[in-house]
Amino acid sequence: MSSNKKYWKSVEELENGSIVEALRNNEFVEEIPTDEFLGNADAMASSSTSRRDFLKYVGFSTAAATLAACEGPVNKSIPYVLQPEQIIPGVADYYATSVFDGFDFANLLVKTREGRPIKIDNNTISGAKFAANARIHASILSLYDNMRLKEPKVEGKDSAWSVVDSKIKSSIAEAKAKGGQVVFLTNTLASPSTEKLIADFIGSNPNAKHVIYDAVSSSEALDAFEAVYGERALVDYDFSKASLIVSVGADFLGDWQGGGYDAGYAQGRIPKNGKMSRHFQLEANMTLSGAAADKRLPMSVANQKQALVLIYNIITGSSVAVNLSPEIKAEVTKAAQQLKAAGSKGLLVSGIQDKNAQLLVLAINQVLASEAFSTVGARQIRKGSDAQVAQLINDMKAGSVHTLIMSGVNPVYTLADSASFVEGLKKVKTSVALSIKEDETAAIATIAAPVPHYLEAWGDLVLTKGTYSLTQPTIRPLFKTKQFQDVLMSINGLSGTYYDYLKAYSASFIAGSTWNKVLHDGIFVGAPVALSGGTADYAGAAAELAKSKAANGLELVLYTKTGMGDGQQANNPWLQEFPDPITRVSWDNYVTVSNADAKTLGLSNEIVANGGLNGSYATITTADGAKLENVPVIVQPGQAVGTVGLALGYGRKAALKEEMQVGLNAYALYKGFNDVQSVELVKAAGEHEFACVQGQKTLMGRGDIIKETSLEIFNTKDSKIWNKTPKVSLDHKEVEATSVDLWESFDRSVGHHFNLSIDLNACTGCGACVIACHAENNVPVVGKSEVRRSRDMHWLRIDRYYSSEETFVGDNERKEGIAGLSSSLSTFNEMEKASDNPQVAFQPVMCQHCNHAPCETVCPVAATSHGRQGQNHMAYNRCVGTRYCANNCPYKVRRFNWFLYNKNSEFDYHMNDDLGRMVLNPDVNVRSRGVMEKCSMCIQMTQATILNAKKEGREVVDGEFQTACSAACSSGAMIFGDVNDKASKVAKLAADERSYHLLEHVGTKPNVVYHVKVRNT
């Protein structure tokens, strides 16, 4: 039965209903002068209204807003009033896309929040085989780079796209009339629709041509493949099918041929059924691939060429004369014989930039009938031609190029002889630089035209033959940008948008599927396409290669660093602060020198009183007189004697914040696109201060930090021998440390209990996990000076260990042979120095989330505590910064905010400007000064997974729980999950005989599990 009672909120409402009714209908008692503030732009700009007044202004009634909109200009300040139904505040949306910037490529999922891309994840759908490396994970921050080119410029002055379009068209018409060349200079596009637009233009303009320029050349390998198979492409090797790998100068775990081989390689490196692959590495610089190898042979590139001929002789039965020392020849012969015995399970790869060397690689793998070598799905990600670039420069200097349209290239920075290019550019009537930044080339071009970031753009990609990927925008363009493809459509006289063109053109690639499905999945895999193999004069190539001679002086080997790559993202602070996996140095490039050469040249490194690393300076001079002065020196264990290394991608100045203008431009030494140069190295005055984290926060004494064994011992001995449990004393008796405890344990068998498994065999040190953690958890960048003071804020570090002897086994034997105090002191002092050719091990270390955590017992305000699900929590609002927890942590994984890094001009990185802060994850607090922080095991991600499953009325599926690091790990080294789910992968890994915990004798009972490293020696 309904009630007829009437209720009043106040006596006034009962007594004087008319006044109260009027007040109720007016949201604000005072009349709001909407015309004064909405109709007057100056008043809005200079307003000093209070927050309360502002809320009044933006919250006025619909009628007032409508009236104001009719009377004056509307200032748009709210993203949307009518919320799109697909966007739910607080809930992330994911978009499948793919990226290729001419150097890096991957199949991705992009996480967005309220229309804002904030994180890169790997697309794990079937067929999406290329995972994001550290640079691609960091590219999300480059979207919000405040130094981006925001609008077109003509002759250095701000302009409009209508003016740019008009000038390009008139210049092309003038070139056609005068018989001048129109040249498109681009990076490798790998985009069939873009290549079609260029081809259509060239078809109707005989005076036009397309030159492809890759800053870091793969031209020699492309020339060899084209000579044999008739197409300009590269082999997409499948390392998972190889049981014996021989690499001659190819850092396939780094950037060789674009990278992306680590997942396949790691599959064979994890011992299964008593077997694992074996890996020989012949190289000059210490690389990620060399660090992972079972047997590493340091040698000059000249010797590598001779070694490759020797391997060719043994595999094919040829007898080309080689010039190698007896020691090197014996070692190479062993590797070649094992390769021949492996047959179809063998694989040889090489990074030598010589067409003859690359022809021998093809010949050797053909004779082996290597299963890992296949022309099915050849890589389309490098197409550059050194000869065409050289010809273009000659044409420009001759004045025959009228219009030059550049996209995705920065030759003024990346060409060794950039002076010739600049000279030629001055003779070009109209030069157009389509660029995301006003870089070195755009700054001197006639027209600098801004293009969108890949997360703002449409596109298509054929990364490997037979696949088709789509790039889709995840945010509206932030600036007045236009895609290269839209410019091409305009000069081709095509109407409509590039989106329409792309959608129509894609039909020929996705037969059997639909546009919407491919857009949803991000990739379409068609029928496999194999190239029919021809042949070449392999014997002649071997004879020519055998004529190679050693360099006069030192061999300089140029390379790309894991963090910086070719230098496109030099303004990205995440990458600048990323410690190099090998040297552990950030914010610098440097010349790497062997210990023997360093002593000869008087070069050195030393750790000074404040814990920082200092080093000598050197001057590098090439045979033709090119010079780099004051290059910092790192004495690098494993560097081949007679060689030095230097990273490309540094030394940029244009469109970079001052803090990011670090290092020296090694492209100046990249003569003839040859990564090997004959140089002289001379010590220079002064001492360089490095930001090196290797001596900071590492764990002392590696006996039970990194556990290792050989495959033979692993297969034949009990796990108690090669995975010893540490012993402690209980009642004067030695017992296993895991059998005793200082605390009572809780019952953790109910609900979820999270563990993270890390397999040291699969970890390659690539660092993708470090950058992914940065993005997910709003980790601040502190700069070179603070890193040098041991104040870096990385929640996850990758410790790198060198052996003092040739092997870690030798280290242990020497340590166990110590007798007496004096022997102990001298021996341990000597063992701090790495071998000239050390074994290397990588170990990711983050908060171990100890079930018996030492940090929790000493916090005076209970800011750190343990959760039911195994995570060690931090209540940032409770933390008062005593740092007791950091002092009591045996793993040294806690970070203290010495400063306020957010909105602080002293730390002018992404957190100091509004655009950069758009990348911040709203699910994670931005910490303040005086607060301790550390890895949270991505609790926001685990809770979101639980809530989603609960909402859908189901249990969480194994593999659904992820952390930022485990999701980023393409090699499978990191596996995260619920150990209470006994069928889960992580539960099985935690119970595996290879599993152990760091510092088990301390009794902290961590929830991070490591797996003993097995070497196939």
Side-chain angles (χ1 to χ4, degrees):
M1 180 178 177
S2 63
S3 171
N4 293 321
K5 289 183 179 180
K6 190 172 183 179
Y7 295 89
W8 290 270
K9 291 184 178 179
S10 65
V11 176
E12 290 76 10
E13 187 177 354
L14 173 62
E15 294 181 348
N16 195 345
S18 60
I19 296 176
V20 174
E21 186 68 16
L23 292 173
R24 182 190 297 156
N25 292 335
N26 290 328
E27 188 171 354
F28 300 107
V29 177
E30 297 176 1
E31 182 180 355
I32 301 173
T34 56
D35 57 331
E36 291 181 15
F37 69 86
L38 282 178
N40 188 332
D42 292 337
M44 284 292 284
S46 60
S47 172
S48 60
T49 58
S50 67
R51 181 173 179 272
R52 182 179 180 83
D53 290 336
F54 174 75
L55 291 174
K56 288 182 182 180
Y57 292 161
V58 299
F60 58 83
S61 67
T62 305
T66 306
L67 180 63
C70 295
E71 293 179 351
V74 176
N75 291 273
K76 296 180 179 178
S77 61
I78 301 174
Y80 47 75
V81 177
L82 296 176
Q83 177 187 317
E85 62 181 32
Q86 69 270 26
I87 295 180
I88 303 172
V91 177
D93 289 307
Y94 291 85
Y95 296 89
T97 190
S98 294
V99 57
F100 177 61
D101 62 7
F103 192 73
D104 293 314
F105 52 93
N107 306 116
L108 309 174
L109 286 178
V110 182
K111 179 182 179 181
T112 67
R113 281 292 301 270
E114 290 77 55
R116 238 178 347 113
I118 62 170
K119 188 169 181 292
I120 298 294
D121 284 321
N122 292 323
N123 190 347
T124 56
I125 197 170
S126 177
K129 61 184 290 187
F130 296 117
N133 59 21
R135 295 185 295 269
I136 292 177
H137 278 288
S139 67
I140 193 87
L141 182 58
S142 294
L143 168 66
Y144 302 115
D145 186 348
N146 202 36
M147 302 292 286
R148 283 177 58 183
L149 185 58
K150 298 177 176 65
E151 59 186 346
K153 289 187 175 183
V154 177
E155 303 287 356
K157 297 180 180 179
D158 293 345
S159 186
W161 270 106
S162 58
V163 175
V164 170
D165 289 341
S166 175
K167 284 187 174 293
I168 293 175
K169 287 179 181 178
S170 62
S171 181
I172 290 172
E174 185 179 321
K176 198 170 186 178
K178 294 183 177 180
Q181 288 185 22
V182 176
V183 180
F184 293 99
L185 177 63
T186 74
N187 56 3
T188 301
L189 296 169
S191 167
S193 63
T194 311
E195 291 168 350
K196 178 69 163 58
L197 286 167
I198 293 175
D200 287 348
F201 179 83
I202 293 173
S204 57
N205 294 272
N207 63 324
K209 67 178 182 178
H210 181 202
V211 176
I212 302 174
Y213 165 48
D214 295 325
V216 181
S217 176
S218 296
S219 191
E220 303 292 347
L222 291 164
D223 292 344
F225 190 89
E226 188 174 22
V228 176
Y229 295 102
E231 183 170 324
R232 204 161 181 78
L234 296 170
V235 180
D236 187 33
Y237 297 95
D238 187 350
F239 283 80
S240 68
K241 295 180 179 178
S243 63
L244 195 286
I245 301 162
V246 177
S247 169
V248 183
D251 183 16
F252 56 85
L253 296 180
D255 294 330
W256 176 74
Q257 292 195 180
Y261 295 113
D262 46 351
Y265 175 78
Q267 287 182 39
R269 299 297 289 170
I270 299 173
K272 295 174 184 174
N273 302 319
K275 296 181 179 180
M276 61 180 285
S277 64
R278 189 150 195 241
H279 173 195
F280 290 89
Q281 185 79 13
L282 289 62
E283 63 182 13
N285 297 342
M286 174 67 83
T287 66
L288 289 177
S289 301
D294 296 303
K295 182 71 174 178
R296 180 179 180 273
L297 305 174
M299 62 179 68
S300 67
V301 177
N303 281 339
Q304 289 174 36
K305 292 177 179 180
Q306 298 292 329
L308 187 58
V309 176
L310 177 57
I311 295 170
Y312 171 79
N313 286 343
I314 293 171
I315 299 298
T316 64
S318 302
S319 56
V320 181
V322 296
N323 181 22
L324 286 171
S325 69
E327 296 81 10
I328 293 178
K329 190 172 184 178
E331 293 291 346
V332 174
T333 300
K334 288 179 186 177
Q337 289 172 343
Q338 291 186 38
L339 181 63
K340 186 174 183 178
S344 63
K345 292 295 183 181
L347 172 65
L348 181 130
V349 294
S350 177
I352 298 173
Q353 285 194 9
D354 185 298
K355 182 179 177 180
N356 293 316
Q358 295 301 325
L359 285 171
L360 295 192
V361 172
L362 300 176
I364 290 167
N365 285 310
Q366 285 176 355
V367 172
L368 291 172
S370 172
E371 294 177 17
F373 172 92
S374 173
T375 62
V376 176
R379 290 191 172 197
Q380 309 291 306
I381 44 81
R382 298 288 186 270
K383 296 271 181 94
S385 169
D386 298 344
Q388 288 184 16
V389 174
Q391 183 60 49
L392 170 63
I393 294 173
N394 290 335
D395 290 346
M396 290 166 62
K397 291 168 72 174
S400 57
V401 178
H402 181 281
T403 304
L404 178 65
I405 300 175
M406 298 171 282
S407 175
V409 294
N410 184 10
V412 175
Y413 165 66
T414 57
L415 276 174
D417 191 13
S418 64
S420 291
F421 184 86
V422 173
E423 179 189 343
L425 197 63
K426 292 176 181 176
K427 298 181 180 181
V428 174
K429 179 67 182 299
T430 304
S431 55
V432 183
L434 291 142
S435 174
I436 196 169
K437 308 193 77 171
E438 193 175 5
D439 55 29
E440 289 80 357
T441 304
I444 64 172
T446 311
I447 298 170
V451 296
H453 189 273
Y454 76 90
L455 292 172
E456 303 169 308
W458 286 102
D460 62 349
L461 296 170
V462 172
L463 300 175
T464 56
K465 206 171 182 67
T467 66
Y468 185 75
S469 307
L470 286 176
T471 299
Q472 65 169 315
T474 59
I475 189 174
R476 290 186 63 183
L478 297 172
F479 306 114
K480 297 176 183 177
T481 56
K482 183 181 282 191
Q483 289 190 229
F484 177 41
Q485 293 86 350
D486 286 315
V487 174
L488 290 171
M489 289 183 67
S490 176
I491 62 178
N492 277 336
L494 297 176
S495 59
T497 64
Y498 173 58
Y499 167 80
D500 296 325
Y501 179 90
L502 174 64
K503 188 175 181 180
Y505 186 72
S506 68
S508 58
F509 290 87
I510 58 173
S513 188
T514 64
W515 166 265
N516 285 342
K517 177 166 177 51
V518 177
L519 189 63
H520 173 272
D521 294 347
I523 188 169
F524 171 78
V525 180
V529 180
L531 298 175
S532 54
T535 187
D537 183 9
Y538 297 132
E544 282 298 313
L545 195 64
K547 295 177 184 178
S548 302
K549 295 181 180 179
N552 294 323
L554 293 170
E555 258 187 13
L556 170 66
V557 182
L558 299 167
Y559 68 100
T560 54
K561 280 179 71 172
T562 305
M564 197 49 58
D566 63 351
Q568 290 186 55
Q569 296 191 77
N571 202 44
N572 192 311
W574 288 352
L575 294 176
Q576 290 284 8
E577 192 146 299
F578 172 71
D580 181 76
I582 299 294
T583 64
R584 308 294 288 135
V585 172
S586 59
W587 293 101
D588 261 317
N589 66 338
Y590 33 77
V591 59
T592 55
V593 185
S594 70
N595 188 48
D597 289 329
K599 287 180 179 178
T600 302
L601 298 167
L603 305 171
S604 64
N605 290 137
E606 64 172 338
I607 295 178
V608 294
N610 66 358
L613 180 72
N614 288 5
S616 305
Y617 282 114
T619 297
I620 304 175
T621 308
T622 64
D624 59 358
K627 184 180 289 188
L628 273 185
E629 297 181 336
N630 294 326
V631 185
V633 173
I634 287 287
V635 180
Q636 176 61 57
Q639 184 78 36
V641 175
T643 70
V644 295
L646 183 63
L648 302 165
Y650 286 81
R652 290 189 59 185
K653 304 294 182 186
L656 265 67
K657 290 185 177 181
E658 185 178 352
E659 292 83 356
M660 257 67 80
Q661 296 177 21
V662 297
L664 295 145
N665 184 6
Y667 281 112
L669 308 180
Y670 193 32
K671 298 288 183 180
F673 300 98
N674 192 341
D675 62 356
V676 181
Q677 302 287 332
S678 177
V679 300
E680 180 186 12
L681 202 68
V682 178
K683 183 177 180 179
E687 197 171 55
H688 185 77
E689 296 184 346
F690 288 103
C692 179
V693 300
Q694 179 59 26
Q696 307 165 4
K697 310 184 185 76
T698 53
L699 303 172
M700 297 301 293
R702 53 161 300 279
D704 58 351
I705 302 299
I706 289 186
K707 292 188 179 182
E708 286 197 342
T709 188
S710 68
L711 183 62
E712 180 185 2
I713 293 175
F714 174 76
N715 286 333
T716 59
K717 305 290 184 182
D718 188 88
S719 62
K720 290 184 179 180
I721 294 175
W722 50 262
N723 187 10
K724 293 179 181 178
T725 303
K727 303 290 180 94
V728 295
S729 178
L730 177 66
D731 296 332
H732 306 291
K733 295 179 182 178
E734 275 199 345
V735 297
E736 291 187 348
T738 53
S739 66
V740 295
D741 209 337
L742 293 176
W743 294 274
E744 289 186 12
S745 294
F746 294 97
D747 178 11
R748 303 188 184 278
S749 62
V750 178
H752 302 293
H753 188 79
F754 297 120
N755 269 202
L756 175 64
S757 168
I758 301 176
D759 195 322
L760 301 181
N761 264 53
C763 179
T764 63
C766 71
C769 53
V770 175
I771 303 298
C773 177
H774 247 303
E776 176 66 27
N777 295 296
N778 302 333
V779 176
V781 174
V782 300
K784 181 176 180 178
S785 177
E786 292 300 300
V787 172
R788 184 172 164 81
R789 289 177 170 85
S790 305
R791 294 175 178 175
D792 72 286
M793 297 299 294
H794 292 108
W795 283 12
L796 163 62
R797 69 175 191 263
I798 303 179
D799 288 340
R800 183 264 299 136
Y801 293 93
Y802 290 144
S803 65
S804 177
E805 302 294 316
E806 286 289 315
T807 66
F808 284 119
V809 173
D811 282 8
N812 290 335
E813 290 174 352
R814 186 175 183 189
K815 184 174 66 174
E816 289 167 2
I818 293 173
L821 178 61
S822 59
S823 173
S824 172
L825 294 174
S826 61
T827 301
F828 278 119
N829 184 51
E830 291 170 4
M831 289 182 69
E832 289 181 5
K833 300 171 184 175
S835 165
D836 287 338
N837 182 28
Q839 282 190 337
V840 186
F842 296 111
Q843 184 175 54
V845 180
M846 66 294 289
C847 174
Q848 302 292 291
H849 295 272
C850 311
N851 288 317
H852 293 161
C855 56
E856 296 170 11
T857 59
V858 296
C859 181
V861 292
T864 181
S865 59
H866 213 68
R868 181 80 187 180
Q869 296 171 347
Q871 291 146 317
N872 176 260
H873 296 174
M874 275 298 302
Y876 297 126
N877 281 359
R878 294 185 65 89
C879 181
V880 294
T882 63
R883 291 184 286 152
Y884 295 163
C885 56
N887 291 333
N888 215 39
C889 174
Y891 308 103
K892 302 306 169 193
V893 289
R894 288 176 164 264
R895 304 289 178 261
F896 182 69
N897 284 269
W898 291 92
F899 300 95
L900 176 67
Y901 302 111
N902 182 37
K903 299 183 182 179
N904 186 341
S905 60
E906 292 295 316
F907 300 91
D908 190 18
Y909 308 111
H910 64 293
M911 284 188 174
N912 191 46
D913 63 76
D914 291 338
L915 190 62
R917 282 195 295 273
M918 286 180 70
V919 82
L920 296 178
N921 183 357
D923 292 333
V924 179
N925 283 358
V926 175
R927 283 74 65 184
S928 186
R929 180 182 180 182
V931 170
M932 187 65 69
E933 62 180 72
K934 52 94 201 175
C935 161
S936 67
M937 209 174 260
C938 291
I939 189 170
Q940 69 280 1
M941 294 178 67
T942 56
Q943 292 308 300
T945 301
I946 292 169
L947 290 172
N948 286 338
K950 185 177 180 180
K951 184 174 67 175
E952 295 169 10
R954 60 174 179 82
E955 292 185 355
V956 177
V957 179
D958 183 34
E960 203 172 348
F961 284 121
Q962 292 286 358
T963 58
C965 56
S966 67
C969 184
S970 59
S971 67
M974 291 183 173
I975 302 295
F976 181 75
D978 179 9
V979 289
N980 282 346
D981 176 5
K982 299 306 177 185
S984 68
K985 189 173 183 179
V986 75
K988 294 174 183 176
L989 288 169
D992 189 85
E993 61 180 358
R994 286 174 59 216
S995 68
Y996 73 97
H997 295 107
L998 283 188
L999 304 178
E1000 281 183 311
H1001 57 277
V1002 178
T1004 56
K1005 297 193 180 301
N1007 283 312
V1008 178
V1009 181
Y1010 292 88
H1011 289 260
V1012 173
K1013 188 174 182 67
V1014 180
R1015 293 188 187 270
N1016 194 357
T1017 53

Short mmCIF file of all heavy atoms in Angstrom, two decimals, residues 201 204 321 335 356 535 557 561 672 873 921:
data_model
loop_
_atom_site.label_atom_id
_atom_site.label_comp_id
_atom_site.label_asym_id
_atom_site.label_seq_id
_atom_site.Cartn_x
_atom_site.Cartn_y
_atom_site.Cartn_z
N PHE A 201 52.97 7.01 -58.01
CA PHE A 201 53.48 8.34 -58.35
C PHE A 201 54.63 8.22 -59.35
O PHE A 201 54.69 8.95 -60.34
CB PHE A 201 53.96 9.06 -57.10
CG PHE A 201 54.53 10.42 -57.37
CD1 PHE A 201 53.70 11.53 -57.49
CD2 PHE A 201 55.90 10.60 -57.53
CE1 PHE A 201 54.22 12.78 -57.76
CE2 PHE A 201 56.43 11.84 -57.79
CZ PHE A 201 55.59 12.94 -57.91
N SER A 204 53.57 7.54 -62.94
CA SER A 204 53.06 8.68 -63.72
C SER A 204 54.05 9.83 -63.79
O SER A 204 53.77 10.86 -64.40
CB SER A 204 51.73 9.18 -63.12
OG SER A 204 51.90 9.53 -61.76
N ALA A 321 92.60 -21.57 -48.63
CA ALA A 321 93.63 -21.29 -47.63
C ALA A 321 93.17 -20.19 -46.68
O ALA A 321 92.58 -19.19 -47.11
CB ALA A 321 94.92 -20.87 -48.32
N ALA A 335 84.38 -26.15 -33.28
CA ALA A 335 83.01 -25.65 -33.47
C ALA A 335 82.45 -26.10 -34.81
O ALA A 335 81.30 -26.54 -34.91
CB ALA A 335 82.99 -24.12 -33.36
N ASN A 356 80.44 -11.27 -49.47
CA ASN A 356 81.03 -12.61 -49.60
C ASN A 356 80.80 -13.44 -48.33
O ASN A 356 80.51 -14.63 -48.40
CB ASN A 356 82.52 -12.50 -49.89
CG ASN A 356 82.80 -11.90 -51.25
OD1 ASN A 356 82.15 -12.26 -52.24
ND2 ASN A 356 83.75 -10.98 -51.32
N THR A 535 71.54 -20.25 -56.59
CA THR A 535 72.90 -20.49 -56.12
C THR A 535 73.75 -19.30 -56.50
O THR A 535 73.28 -18.36 -57.13
CB THR A 535 73.47 -21.80 -56.70
OG1 THR A 535 74.74 -22.06 -56.09
CG2 THR A 535 73.65 -21.67 -58.22
N VAL A 557 84.85 -1.47 -33.82
CA VAL A 557 83.62 -2.17 -34.18
C VAL A 557 82.44 -1.36 -33.64
O VAL A 557 82.24 -1.25 -32.43
CB VAL A 557 83.60 -3.60 -33.60
CG1 VAL A 557 82.33 -4.33 -34.04
CG2 VAL A 557 84.83 -4.37 -34.05
N LYS A 561 73.45 0.04 -29.00
CA LYS A 561 73.19 -0.37 -27.62
C LYS A 561 71.75 -0.83 -27.46
O LYS A 561 70.84 -0.36 -28.15
CB LYS A 561 73.48 0.79 -26.67
CG LYS A 561 74.95 0.97 -26.35
CD LYS A 561 75.21 2.14 -25.44
CE LYS A 561 74.74 1.88 -24.02
NZ LYS A 561 75.16 2.95 -23.10
N GLY A 672 81.40 4.63 -45.27
CA GLY A 672 81.01 3.62 -46.24
C GLY A 672 80.05 2.60 -45.69
O GLY A 672 79.98 1.47 -46.20
N HIS A 873 53.46 -5.37 0.96
CA HIS A 873 52.78 -4.12 0.63
C HIS A 873 53.54 -2.91 1.15
O HIS A 873 54.26 -2.98 2.14
CB HIS A 873 51.38 -4.11 1.23
CG HIS A 873 50.47 -5.15 0.67
ND1 HIS A 873 49.20 -5.38 1.15
CD2 HIS A 873 50.64 -6.06 -0.32
CE1 HIS A 873 48.63 -6.36 0.47
NE2 HIS A 873 49.49 -6.79 -0.42
N ASN A 921 50.29 6.06 -15.01
CA ASN A 921 49.23 5.07 -14.76
C ASN A 921 48.38 5.54 -13.58
O ASN A 921 48.89 5.64 -12.46
CB ASN A 921 49.87 3.72 -14.45
CG ASN A 921 48.86 2.61 -14.26
OD1 ASN A 921 47.65 2.83 -14.30
ND2 ASN A 921 49.36 1.41 -14.04
#
